[in-house]
Amino acid sequence: MFQRFLDIRVRLLISLGLVLVGVAALLFTSSSAVLINSARQTETRNLIENLLRVEQALQNQLETLGNATSDYAAWDDTYAFAQGNNPGYVEGSITPVTFTSSQTDWLAIALDAELFLYIASFDYENEEIIPGGKEFQEAVQALPILFQFTEEQPSPQGIALISGQVTLLASRPILRSDGSGPAAGTFIFGQTLDAEKISRLAASTRLSLSFYPITALPDADHTDAYKQLQSGQTSVITPLNTKAIAAYGLVRDLKNRPVMLVRIDAPRPLYQQMQLSLRYLALSLLGASTVSGFIIWRLLERSLRYLRERDRIQQALQQEAALRQSELRYREKAEELERTLQELRKTQAQLLHSEKMSGLGQLVAGIAHEINNPIGFIYGNITHARQYAHALLNLIDLYQQHIPDPPQPVQEAQASMDLPFITADLPRIFNSMRAGAERIRIIVLSLRTFSRMDEEGLKRVDIHNGIDSTLLILQHRFQTSARGSVIQVTTNYGDLPPVECYPSQINQVVLNILNNAIDALQTPQIPSGFLADSSPPLIHIQTRYLENKEGKGGKAGKEGSTDGHIQIRISNNGPPIPEDLQPRLFDPFFTTKPVGQGTGLGLAMCYQIIVETHHGILRCNSAPGHHTEFIIQIPVSQTTKRFKA
């Protein structure tokens, strides 16, 4: 009898071991497939997005080259040279600055695809212009689209392979400075995509980039990728090893022929993390199988004891109770594992969200940096240009006073150019240029603040000084409104203690809200269903000190107070904000302003600064028949992280 029980026990043990091994293998195989496939899909999606970023960066570089070409093509001196009336144009106007300012390597001026008036290249090492360039002329002549200007293609530009090097080309018709024609010829700039420019392109996109001409692919891997792309694939993703992965894409020329293979190398942190997770999963399954096998083996031992000791009923009942208790423990363990799994999923979602916000911040910071440099040049030179123009106009006025009857050619030239109109219109042009540059600077500042590039340390400051400075900056905008009168600004300051905050960020919040209030008062349209307010346009600012609800707030205005909160209320009597738009006010890139007048970053940045950085409250109250009011509330001291409304 005992031998039979022993044989049964051995067979059950073997069967149990096989079942546990099979279940563990099945779980590991399915989990491995899901995790690895998810990692690869994510890697593929990210690399395809990076290829699109590279393509967009090349397009932006082409646009920059095209703008430089437009500047020289729409120049009266260039127009005169193309017509044969300005023989000194090349010596006086084509200088090293012509090439270095636009980072170009080639320049050509042609009457048509067959007759070229001037061709030159630039030696950046010796900083000298080298006239001529047969290979550039032949390459350009092979692209007749560069000389064909239509409504569908007014500004031809693209990529070509010249002397084995990838070159960016941009052509524009040679017109007068006022845009009138007919076109006297074609002006062409060429920019060779050399190692230095590729390095700058990689730095601007924050990617590890490599470019290879199709005629000189380095190895079989690149050749295989090119063949796959030629077969119709838009991109080729190739894992290099467990730590790196590569993506390939094609760059096509003006004739839609592939001329360059783009390769992006990227690390594989997600794939490595998945492999590490699979190792942990394997260890976990092995441990769980061992524990389960041991537990079941013990249960089996007890069952066999029950068979041999059936006459001991009391002992059997006790064993049954122990079994039920064991099942209860297993159920509790299962519930605990479920809770742990939910926490892991929550943590994973938070990590994904943090990664997305980090990517957005890097993208915004990169855009702000790229825009800030050229607009700085423009903004810094407008003042000098306006002064020079003013001096020239004064000089012309002196000539008119002291030489009232100039020679006949001068009188004819003066009549043809409409000097009084130019004298009156030139200052307005410079003012318009300055206003546009200032607008771009404000947008760049908003982008940089939104990406936290200018974040300063915490300081204790007087909030009222920041508000007064902001009002002083906006003084020029208070002079007009849609109601035809000056915008009135009133303040009601309470007794506030020094506040621990990031001063520049708080000033930026007040500036954005005041700008929105001014825009609302300067909007002539009133939303349908609302009556226009006939009272004078008004902005009211009120501050006050709030003690903590627990009654521990310090005295308002007392130096060194660390308890309580300060509140800033900014209201205006402009049209109310529609109720259906209010929940989206603080969403990034949401704006109700026309294209070109709003970025949608202002209130989103304000929310980030007040709620996330300063642990405060930012809300808006707006309803028909009431003033629109924004309420800012932050702790006096940032050491108190918990805020109670």
Side-chain angles (χ1 to χ4, degrees):
M1 186 71 170
F2 177 79
Q3 184 64 37
R4 184 169 63 87
F5 286 155
L6 183 60
D7 294 340
I8 294 174
R9 184 173 62 181
V10 172
R11 287 196 296 271
L12 287 175
L13 181 60
I14 295 173
S15 300
L16 175 63
L18 293 175
V19 170
L20 289 176
V21 170
V23 171
L26 179 61
L27 288 175
F28 180 81
T29 302
S30 59
S31 300
S32 175
V34 171
L35 292 176
I36 296 300
N37 185 53
S38 176
R40 289 177 177 172
Q41 288 181 353
T42 303
E43 287 178 338
T44 300
R45 183 168 60 252
N46 291 338
L47 287 171
I48 291 175
E49 292 176 356
N50 289 338
L51 285 173
L52 293 176
R53 286 173 56 195
V54 174
E55 181 181 352
Q56 185 61 46
L58 286 173
Q59 289 298 323
N60 293 340
Q61 201 157 337
L62 274 173
E63 290 296 331
T64 302
L65 184 64
N67 292 336
T69 309
S70 299
D71 291 340
Y72 280 89
W75 190 10
D76 289 338
D77 289 351
T78 308
Y79 192 85
F81 174 71
Q83 290 188 324
N85 298 328
N86 190 356
Y89 170 80
V90 173
E91 292 77 8
S93 301
I94 305 301
T95 66
V97 177
T98 304
F99 293 85
T100 58
S101 63
S102 56
Q103 291 295 302
T104 55
D105 300 276
W106 298 93
L107 181 151
I109 302 176
L111 293 181
D112 52 36
E114 300 297 331
L115 182 57
F116 282 69
L117 298 179
Y118 180 71
I119 300 177
S121 62
F122 187 71
D123 184 353
Y124 279 88
E125 182 176 356
N126 299 318
E127 296 186 354
E128 62 177 358
I129 300 175
I130 304 174
K134 183 178 180 181
E135 66 277 12
F136 183 71
Q137 179 178 348
E138 292 176 351
V140 170
Q141 287 177 330
L143 298 169
I145 189 175
L146 294 174
F147 302 91
Q148 300 170 359
F149 306 100
T150 63
E151 293 183 359
E152 293 76 17
Q153 187 68 23
S155 305
Q157 58 190 34
I159 296 174
L161 195 63
I162 301 177
S163 299
Q165 287 187 307
V166 176
T167 304
L168 308 181
L169 296 174
S171 70
R172 298 291 187 273
I174 299 176
L175 303 171
R176 297 184 181 92
S177 58
D178 60 359
S180 61
T186 303
F187 194 99
I188 303 174
F189 264 147
Q191 184 183 91
T192 301
L193 199 61
D194 54 19
E196 182 180 356
K197 295 185 181 67
I198 292 174
S199 178
R200 288 200 299 267
L201 185 65
S204 67
T205 56
R206 291 185 175 85
L207 298 172
S208 177
L209 294 178
S210 302
F211 292 84
Y212 304 95
I214 298 303
T215 56
L217 296 177
D219 53 33
D221 291 341
H222 293 75
T223 302
D224 292 340
Y226 172 66
K227 291 179 180 179
Q228 294 180 54
L229 291 169
Q230 279 290 85
S231 65
Q233 297 187 36
T234 58
S235 61
V236 175
I237 311 299
T238 303
L240 304 178
N241 47 52
T242 59
K243 297 182 179 180
I245 191 169
Y248 298 89
L250 282 180
V251 176
R252 299 182 179 272
D253 64 3
L254 283 163
K255 291 185 177 181
N256 200 30
R257 298 174 304 188
V259 295
M260 183 167 56
L261 185 70
V262 182
R263 171 171 166 168
I264 299 176
D265 292 307
R268 307 184 72 184
L270 182 60
Y271 183 84
Q272 292 176 301
Q273 183 63 36
M274 292 300 181
Q275 287 190 324
L276 183 61
S277 299
L278 287 175
R279 294 191 185 100
Y280 290 149
L281 178 61
L283 292 175
S284 300
L285 290 174
L286 179 60
S289 299
T290 302
V291 173
S292 299
F294 177 76
I295 292 174
I296 296 176
W297 172 257
R298 294 295 299 168
L299 293 175
L300 180 60
E301 285 286 335
R302 292 180 181 179
S303 298
L304 292 175
R305 259 197 321 271
Y306 297 155
L307 292 175
R308 287 180 297 177
E309 300 178 2
R310 287 177 295 180
D311 56 325
R312 300 184 180 180
I313 299 175
Q314 185 65 33
Q315 184 179 0
L317 293 175
Q318 292 176 355
Q319 292 294 336
E320 183 180 358
L323 179 61
R324 291 177 179 175
Q325 187 176 6
S326 178
E327 290 177 351
L328 179 60
R329 287 199 302 270
Y330 298 154
R331 190 177 299 109
E332 291 174 352
K333 288 291 184 182
E335 293 174 355
E336 182 179 356
L337 288 175
E338 180 66 23
R339 290 193 297 269
T340 303
L341 179 60
Q342 292 178 358
E343 289 295 327
L344 287 175
R345 289 175 177 171
K346 181 180 179 182
T347 303
Q348 182 186 25
Q350 292 173 349
L351 289 174
L352 290 175
H353 178 71
S354 299
E355 183 65 22
K356 290 179 182 177
M357 294 306 296
S358 174
L360 178 61
Q362 292 176 4
L363 175 63
V364 172
I367 294 173
H369 177 74
E370 291 300 325
I371 297 175
N372 194 49
N373 290 334
I375 196 58
F377 301 151
I378 297 172
Y379 188 82
N381 288 320
I382 286 177
T383 301
H384 300 295
R386 183 168 56 181
Q387 292 174 353
Y388 299 158
H390 183 69
L392 290 175
L393 292 176
N394 288 339
L395 180 61
I396 293 173
D397 184 60
L398 289 174
Y399 269 107
Q400 290 179 337
Q401 292 178 12
H402 294 283
I403 307 177
D405 297 315
Q408 184 63 26
V410 176
Q411 293 182 11
E412 293 176 356
Q414 180 177 343
S416 65
M417 69 185 298
D418 195 4
L419 184 59
F421 173 77
I422 294 176
T423 303
D425 192 55
L426 191 57
R428 291 194 292 268
I429 292 175
F430 279 110
N431 290 336
S432 177
M433 293 169 63
R434 183 181 180 87
E438 182 65 25
R439 173 62 179 165
I440 298 176
R441 289 185 67 208
I442 292 174
I443 293 174
V444 171
L445 179 61
S446 297
L447 288 172
R448 290 169 66 89
T449 305
F450 184 79
S451 61
R452 292 180 179 236
M453 290 182 61
D454 294 330
E455 190 171 75
E456 300 176 353
L458 285 170
K459 298 179 181 178
R460 284 196 173 272
V461 296
D462 185 352
I463 291 296
H464 295 153
N465 289 340
I467 296 175
D468 292 337
S469 299
T470 305
L471 290 175
L472 182 61
I473 292 173
L474 294 174
Q475 188 64 39
H476 67 284
R477 296 203 64 199
F478 297 136
Q479 304 306 314
T480 58
S481 71
R483 305 176 192 175
S485 58
V486 176
I487 298 175
Q488 299 180 15
V489 180
T490 61
T491 59
N492 181 12
Y493 291 161
D495 190 12
L496 302 183
V499 179
E500 185 182 23
C501 63
Y502 296 96
S504 62
Q505 295 187 12
I506 298 299
N507 291 343
Q508 187 65 36
V509 171
V510 175
L511 178 68
N512 285 341
I513 294 177
L514 286 174
N515 268 323
N516 286 344
I518 295 171
D519 291 340
L521 293 171
Q522 291 179 343
T523 301
Q525 294 85 4
I526 304 299
S528 62
F530 300 129
L531 298 177
D533 191 351
S534 60
S535 59
L538 173 67
I539 295 177
H540 180 68
I541 304 174
Q542 178 185 3
T543 64
R544 62 173 179 167
Y545 175 82
L546 302 175
E547 293 187 356
N548 284 342
K549 289 188 176 182
E550 292 82 359
K552 296 181 180 180
K555 292 184 179 179
K558 184 178 180 180
E559 185 68 27
S561 174
T562 59
D563 293 325
H565 308 83
I566 64 104
Q567 186 181 85
I568 306 172
R569 292 175 173 262
I570 302 176
S571 61
N572 68 84
N573 62 345
I577 301 173
E579 186 176 355
D580 59 331
L581 298 182
Q582 293 184 24
R584 303 177 60 194
L585 286 179
F586 304 107
D587 290 347
F589 305 108
F590 171 75
T591 179
T592 59
K593 297 178 182 178
V595 176
Q597 297 185 20
T599 63
L601 290 175
L603 290 179
M605 180 197 65
C606 294
Y607 186 86
Q608 183 186 48
I609 291 173
I610 297 301
V611 177
E612 299 180 13
T613 303
H614 289 84
H615 312 284
I617 284 177
L618 176 62
R619 65 175 182 267
C620 173
N621 296 329
S622 183
H626 296 82
H627 291 182
T628 298
E629 181 180 51
F630 281 85
I631 301 173
I632 305 167
Q633 198 163 310
I634 62 173
V636 173
S637 173
Q638 289 302 312
T639 56
T640 305
K641 298 300 182 184
R642 294 184 60 189
F643 180 85
K644 295 183 178 179

